Amino acid sequence: TRQAAIESNFLKQLEDHLNAEVSSGTVTNIDEGVAWLSYTYLYIRMLKNPLCYGLNFEAREMDPQLEAARYDKIKAAAKRLDEQRMLRYDPRSGNLAATDLGRTASHFYIRSASIETFNRMNMGASAMSDDDALNILCHASEFENVKVRPEELPEMDKVKKECPLEVKSPVEEAAGKVSVLLQAYVS
């Protein structure tokens, strides 16, 4: 029987995994990142099915080990992590250095998408209230699967009235629901 191959989803979380490797000290520069990527299932699938990963067969023939593609992917991930202040990337030397924010994100499994959201929402704020901090937290990508059901809204409104902090997002949105549920749990 011929079954369809299972493709890798590693590229979707490449930034998070690279951050973890840099934070642990396993990867300290782009070259080590490229070598590290060659140990993954993603690399095996890139060799077998380059089209699925944005490469063409000509690129595979010109570069049989896909070293250029691996460099591009690692450099792009490092650049994004640097923009998010999760690590420091020096393009001239290729060195990668962990930051406190990156180590914290790695240690507590906080996605880079959440850090990006936190940075964007906190931009320019010198101080924030507890309400604002909770609102930012409730927009984390880790809560993306929280769904608001219409039949829950009356109960959410009742619980919201008991919340000690202001709920900054409407309860009709996931962030509002998360805020209400977190406050109900904590208080």
Side-chain angles (χ1 to χ4, degrees):
T1 63
R2 292 208 65 166
Q3 295 181 341
I6 298 172
E7 297 300 340
S8 174
N9 285 312
F10 193 73
L11 277 179
K12 293 176 185 172
Q13 293 106 20
L14 180 60
E15 292 169 17
D16 297 322
H17 291 286
L18 179 60
N19 180 57
E21 295 298 325
V22 171
S23 295
S24 70
T26 307
V27 172
T28 61
N29 59 49
I30 295 295
D31 291 336
E32 289 176 359
V34 170
W36 162 73
L37 198 57
S38 71
Y39 302 127
T40 65
Y41 181 67
L42 167 67
Y43 175 63
I44 302 301
R45 291 309 307 158
M46 284 171 63
L47 290 173
K48 297 274 187 195
N49 189 5
L51 290 174
C52 192
Y53 304 97
L55 307 170
N56 56 35
F57 284 105
E58 291 79 35
R60 170 80 165 87
E61 288 176 11
M62 298 289 287
D63 184 8
Q65 300 304 310
L66 296 176
E67 196 161 340
R70 287 185 285 143
Y71 265 102
D72 291 344
K73 294 189 185 319
I74 292 293
K75 282 181 185 177
K79 185 177 181 221
R80 291 226 348 114
L81 289 168
D82 184 63
E83 290 166 357
Q84 296 166 14
R85 299 188 305 259
M86 292 177 71
L87 59 76
R88 289 291 152 233
Y89 167 47
D90 179 8
R92 286 190 334 254
S93 67
N95 288 336
L96 303 171
T99 64
D100 289 338
L101 180 60
R103 277 189 288 275
T104 301
S106 174
H107 183 75
F108 292 103
Y109 300 100
I110 301 170
R111 297 179 190 162
S112 60
S114 292
I115 298 295
E116 183 176 30
T117 299
F118 300 161
N119 287 339
R120 183 177 30 81
M121 292 181 76
N122 191 30
M123 193 173 279
S126 58
M128 72 173 72
S129 66
D130 292 343
D131 302 352
D132 293 329
L134 180 62
N135 183 50
I136 290 172
L137 175 69
C138 292
H139 282 84
S141 66
E142 285 76 4
F143 297 120
E144 68 190 13
N145 292 324
V146 173
K147 302 295 180 215
V148 180
R149 296 182 192 96
E151 62 270 14
E152 296 173 337
L153 291 176
E155 187 68 25
M156 281 289 136
D157 287 331
K158 285 181 196 173
V159 177
K160 179 181 174 184
K161 291 176 184 170
E162 303 298 320
C163 291
L165 299 175
E166 179 186 353
V167 177
K168 298 247 178 179
S169 296
V171 292
E172 293 82 10
E173 296 176 7
K177 180 178 179 177
V178 169
S179 179
V180 169
L181 293 176
L182 285 175
Q183 291 187 64
Y185 180 76
V186 172
S187 49

